């Protein structure tokens, strides 16, 4: 347990120093906390970046120059051992919003001069006193929509600045009972087994009811949206998603873990599938596409109650020949 607590403290210290770093010192700050062969995974257009200097120069410095007075508004924080490698590695997850004054363009998105919220979720692998690997997933289309752009056709569910857990207990800074996390991970695995391959033989609603609470909330990414209750989730996301794809691959994760009532996973990619038409109002291409995803869950009793999802939709649609970022640059704001 002390290893998990030490890893949490390292990541908390890293966040404090990174958030307080002045322009031009971010690479130095990263260098104090990350390993020499640091590997960073981010959504399109960042993708894989290696080394503290490159991560600072390509991601953090430009973002901090655009979202001035950046503030981390964290909703969920937990750590765990990674089931995927036999529980040998230790990871720390952080989720929330990076909020700032959107005063300069970022990725071709024109500034608003108003508050901007970048949804993020980060998984950090810790070895000793260093962070050696990070998956930093963030919802760029959500920021685009705040800036008045419409990167996708109208979505099926609701577009929101998303709140944290209804229970307001997602920051697991203190030591947790290992048995509670084991129960959470077992439920997540049951959900993956039941639903992950779309082959349960049950109706969609009956599938969902095996592992989800009736009043579940699915906090989906911009372009899809958030939806509430099993019936509305089936209607507004799960059924349209399944109907719009063929040839879904098996599920593959780099990390899957849980602590307390919270857990989650990410992949690179999690799975591939071929769009046949209709998904997000865009046509089918017949080309397999990758889904890079983070899922974070809150368990309540023996069911999953809330799920926060990050999907690299920019990467997926670029694989289909649609460059959402490029076609949105310099579009007049409404």
């Amino acid at each position: 347990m002390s290893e998990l607590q030490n890893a949490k403290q390292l990541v908390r210290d890293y966040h404090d120093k990174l958030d307080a770093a002045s322009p031009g010192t971010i690479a130095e700050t990263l260098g104090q906390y990350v390993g020499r062969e640091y590997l960073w995974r981010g959504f399109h257009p960042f993708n894989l970046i290696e080394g503290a200097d490159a991560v600072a120069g390509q991601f953090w410095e430009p973002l901090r120059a655009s979202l001035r007075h950046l503030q981390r508004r964290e909703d969920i924080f937990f750590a765990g051992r990674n089931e995927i490698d036999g529980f040998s590695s230790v990871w720390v997850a952080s989720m929330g919003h990076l909020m700032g004054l959107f005063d300069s363009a970022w990725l071709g998105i024109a500034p608003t001069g108003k508050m901007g919220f970048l949804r993020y979720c980060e998984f950090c692998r810790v070895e000793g006193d260093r962070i050696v690997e990070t998956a930093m997933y963030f919802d760029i289309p959500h920021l685009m929509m705040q800036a008045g752009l419409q990167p996708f056709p109208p979505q099926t569910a609701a577009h929101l600045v998303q709140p944290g857990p209804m229970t307001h207990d997602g920051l697991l800074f203190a030591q947790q009972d290992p048995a509670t996390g084991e129960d959470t991970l077992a439920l997540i695995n049951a959900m993956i087994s039941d639903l992950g391959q779309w082959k349960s033989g049950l109706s969609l609603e009956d599938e969902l009811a095996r592992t989800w609470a009736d009043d579940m909330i699915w906090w989906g990414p911009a372009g899809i949206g958030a939806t509430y209750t099993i019936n509305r989730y089936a209607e507004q996301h799960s059924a349209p998603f399944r109907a719009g794809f063929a040839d879904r691959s098996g599920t593959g994760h780099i990390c899957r873990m849980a602590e307390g009532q919270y857990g989650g996973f990410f992949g690179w990619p999690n799975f591939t599938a071929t769009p046949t038409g209709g998904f997000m109002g865009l046509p089918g291409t017949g080309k397999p596409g990758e889904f890079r995803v983070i899922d974070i869950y809150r368990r309540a009793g023996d069911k999953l109650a809330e799920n926060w999802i990050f999907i690299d939709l920019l990467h997926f649609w670029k694989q289909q020949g649609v460059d959402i970022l490029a076609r949105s640059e310099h579009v007049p704001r409404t």
Side-chain angles (χ1 to χ4, degrees):
M1 292 301 297
S2 61
E3 190 174 11
L4 292 187
Q5 289 305 110
N6 289 341
K8 289 183 194 177
Q9 190 60 57
L10 174 69
V11 172
R12 292 183 70 188
D13 291 345
Y14 161 67
H15 285 165
D16 288 345
K17 291 292 179 63
L18 176 63
D19 295 348
S22 58
T25 67
I26 293 177
E28 179 183 353
T29 302
L30 262 64
Q32 297 172 11
Y33 289 93
V34 306
R36 187 169 297 178
E37 298 181 357
Y38 180 52
L39 177 64
W40 186 94
R41 292 179 172 89
F43 277 2
H44 175 80
F46 299 98
N47 303 303
L48 289 171
I49 306 177
E50 297 182 7
D53 290 349
V55 173
Q58 295 178 40
F59 178 72
W60 283 113
E61 293 281 4
L63 178 65
R64 291 276 295 272
S66 297
L67 289 176
R68 296 178 59 248
H69 302 292
L70 194 69
Q71 181 181 102
R72 184 183 303 269
R73 302 184 63 85
E74 191 172 51
D75 295 309
I76 293 176
F77 182 90
F78 65 94
R81 291 188 173 275
N82 181 12
E83 179 186 30
I84 302 304
D85 61 13
F87 301 99
S88 62
S89 61
V90 172
W91 293 73
V92 179
S94 169
M95 189 206 83
H97 293 82
L98 299 175
M99 184 198 79
L101 297 173
F102 194 8
D103 285 351
S104 298
W106 186 58
L107 303 177
I109 307 168
T112 64
K114 302 175 183 178
M115 296 166 68
F117 291 78
L118 181 65
R119 292 183 64 227
Y120 83 91
C121 190
E122 175 189 65
F123 276 61
C124 290
R125 180 164 65 91
V126 174
E127 289 185 357
D129 63 351
R130 294 283 167 166
I131 299 166
V132 297
E133 183 177 354
T134 293
M136 180 74 178
Y137 291 6
F138 34 84
D139 195 338
I140 295 172
H142 181 242
L143 185 65
M144 296 168 73
M145 293 169 74
Q146 294 171 58
L149 294 172
Q150 294 187 3
F152 303 112
Q155 56 197 30
T156 53
H159 169 66
L160 303 164
V161 174
Q162 297 182 0
M166 184 178 69
T167 47
H168 301 283
D169 61 356
L171 300 176
L172 305 188
F173 298 144
Q175 184 170 304
Q176 305 295 310
D177 179 0
T180 305
E182 290 169 6
D183 289 345
T184 301
L185 186 59
L187 182 59
I188 291 171
N189 282 326
M191 178 273 300
I192 294 170
S193 177
D194 281 356
L195 310 179
Q197 308 307 320
W198 308 345
K199 295 178 181 178
S200 71
L202 301 172
S203 71
L204 176 56
E205 289 78 6
D206 286 343
E207 279 187 8
L208 294 165
R210 288 168 61 94
T211 50
W212 294 91
D214 289 341
D215 60 350
M216 64 170 286
I217 305 177
W218 192 85
W219 299 107
I224 299 173
T227 187
Y228 172 49
T229 73
I230 283 179
N231 288 339
R232 292 296 172 89
Y233 169 68
E235 174 189 338
Q236 294 176 346
H237 173 64
S238 190
F241 187 79
R242 295 187 186 198
F245 286 91
D247 303 323
R248 187 196 194 278
S249 73
T251 300
H253 295 148
I254 290 175
C255 177
R256 188 188 306 154
M257 65 176 185
E259 186 183 28
Q261 304 281 356
Y262 293 86
F265 51 71
F266 80 90
W268 190 264
N270 297 49
F271 65 93
T272 61
T274 303
T276 56
F279 176 56
M280 299 177 65
L282 296 170
T285 64
K287 300 177 183 177
E290 295 179 344
F291 283 87
R292 301 167 173 172
V293 184
I294 278 180
D295 275 68
I296 298 292
Y297 299 90
R298 178 177 68 85
R299 175 172 67 87
D302 62 352
K303 296 294 176 70
L304 298 171
E306 293 187 85
N307 180 199
W308 294 262
I309 303 90
F310 298 76
I311 305 175
D312 195 350
L313 295 172
L314 299 182
H315 171 68
F316 175 80
W317 285 114
K318 194 168 190 301
Q319 289 186 307
Q320 308 305 310
V322 181
D323 192 331
I324 302 296
L325 268 180
R327 76 179 188 178
S328 298
E329 288 183 1
H330 314 301
V331 175
R333 272 43 177 182
T334 56

